[in-house]
Amino acid sequence: MNSSSTFRVMILLVWLCVLYGVTAKPQDNPIHSIGHTHVNGTTLEEEARVFLEEIDRRETQECTAATFAAWQHDSDITESHRREKEAAQLKYAAWHKTMWQRVQDEWKDRWENLNDPFLKRQFKFHSVLGVAALPKNDLEKYNSLLLDMETMYSTAKICDYKSKKKCDLSLEPDLTRILHMSRDYKELEHVWKQWRHNSGRLMRDHYKLFVRLANKAAKLNEATNLGEQAKVTQCLSKGRHFLSFINVPQ
């Protein structure tokens, strides 16, 4: 991926981090304010709203930090940037685990009593820990596998169809341009097959292990596999941003 494309993706992800907090806040509605009243005069809904706003502010900060580390690595793949991205991913996962634990400790037996369906959906969403449920060693391996596959994808080179000695064509901008502009069937076939051979083939063993770890994480979240977990998460994500998961069956 070239620097301009990576920058655009990074900006998009930062905005999604910001929107995570904005869209997670329910609109003011008199109906939503009706609920169980505490001794201090606040309702359960009001307490829940304050709690979620606190969570979302921190989520925006953590998400943005992880996104910048990812952008730095993806736009300039070096060992140093890889270590920084791995550290940021682990920090982000640790935050999710802390947030999830707070929901369990403070709201496990209370959020289902909320009258506001939007608030209830947010708590149900936050009750799914996701890949952060993996033990630390497995989580580190999971992140490392993803980084390895990203690097293979981003750095794979193929030889030019018209000049066999020119073997430095990369996905961006070379192959993207050829696939967009060429009308030569043989050239398109060559580009597609060589790209698959020099990138996807190398990922095969990585992907198999990734699937096992992804499904292990899903089972720790009481789902059959990551595909099932993704469906649940997607349903709970209405009204907020959702980055699609890979459907990985058993």
Side-chain angles (χ1 to χ4, degrees):
M1 185 178 292
N2 61 28
S3 58
S4 62
S5 297
T6 305
F7 181 74
R8 288 194 295 270
V9 171
M10 186 274 290
I11 292 297
L12 173 61
L13 291 176
V14 169
W15 270 108
L16 288 174
C17 290
V18 174
L19 287 173
Y20 181 99
V22 173
T23 58
K25 299 176 184 178
Q27 299 296 318
D28 291 334
N29 189 321
I31 296 177
H32 293 164
S33 298
I34 300 173
H36 305 284
T37 303
H38 300 321
V39 175
N40 61 6
T42 63
T43 66
L44 187 63
E45 271 70 16
E46 290 169 340
E47 183 185 353
R49 191 172 293 110
V50 170
F51 178 85
L52 288 173
E53 288 177 354
E54 176 193 346
I55 291 290
D56 292 329
R57 281 194 297 270
R58 178 69 182 278
E59 170 67 24
T60 298
Q61 296 171 0
E62 297 293 339
C63 178
T64 301
T67 299
F68 272 106
W71 171 76
Q72 187 175 38
H73 169 267
D74 297 345
S75 60
D76 183 16
I77 298 175
T78 66
E79 190 59 34
S80 174
H81 289 162
R82 178 191 174 103
R83 289 194 297 270
E84 291 174 4
K85 182 175 180 178
E86 286 178 324
Q89 288 175 329
L90 289 175
K91 184 174 181 290
Y92 193 33
W95 147 247
H96 269 285
K97 201 163 190 175
T98 299
M99 177 270 295
W100 174 84
Q101 192 61 58
R102 282 195 63 189
V103 171
Q104 300 304 305
D105 293 343
E106 301 176 31
W107 287 91
K108 184 176 181 180
D109 298 323
R110 298 200 298 154
W111 66 263
E112 290 187 355
N113 295 322
L114 292 165
N115 293 326
D116 186 335
F118 189 95
L119 291 175
K120 291 179 75 171
R121 187 165 65 243
Q122 298 310 303
F123 275 102
K124 193 169 184 179
F125 180 89
H126 286 309
S127 296
V128 179
L129 181 54
V131 71
L134 286 171
K136 184 179 179 182
N137 288 343
D138 284 343
L139 181 60
E140 290 176 347
K141 183 62 177 177
Y142 176 92
N143 289 335
S144 179
L145 286 167
L146 283 178
L147 279 170
D148 286 344
M149 291 190 288
E150 287 174 3
T151 300
M152 292 173 190
Y153 180 86
S154 300
T155 61
K157 309 285 185 183
I158 72 168
C159 295
D160 187 75
Y161 175 70
K162 298 175 181 177
S163 179
K164 305 302 182 184
K165 293 183 179 181
K166 180 177 174 57
C167 295
D168 60 351
L169 300 187
S170 59
L171 179 62
E172 292 284 356
D174 306 306
L175 304 188
T176 300
R177 174 180 51 78
I178 293 171
L179 290 170
H180 177 65
M181 301 297 294
S182 177
R183 295 298 179 266
D184 184 333
Y185 177 84
K186 291 295 184 181
E187 181 179 26
L188 294 172
E189 181 182 36
H190 166 81
V191 167
W192 176 251
K193 287 185 175 180
Q194 289 301 306
W195 171 251
R196 295 282 294 176
H197 183 271
N198 292 348
S199 60
R201 182 180 61 86
L202 300 179
M203 300 179 194
R204 186 176 302 160
D205 291 338
H206 288 70
Y207 188 71
K208 288 179 180 178
L209 182 52
F210 164 78
V211 168
R212 288 200 292 270
L213 290 174
N215 285 334
K216 180 177 181 179
K219 289 175 181 177
L220 291 172
N221 286 279
E222 300 182 352
T224 304
N225 55 49
L226 187 59
E228 179 184 311
Q229 181 184 317
K231 292 175 184 177
V232 174
T233 307
Q234 188 171 20
C235 290
L236 295 174
S237 300
K238 293 178 181 178
R240 69 195 306 159
H241 87 270
F242 176 70
L243 301 180
S244 61
F245 292 90
I246 300 172
N247 191 336
V248 282
Q250 291 280 39

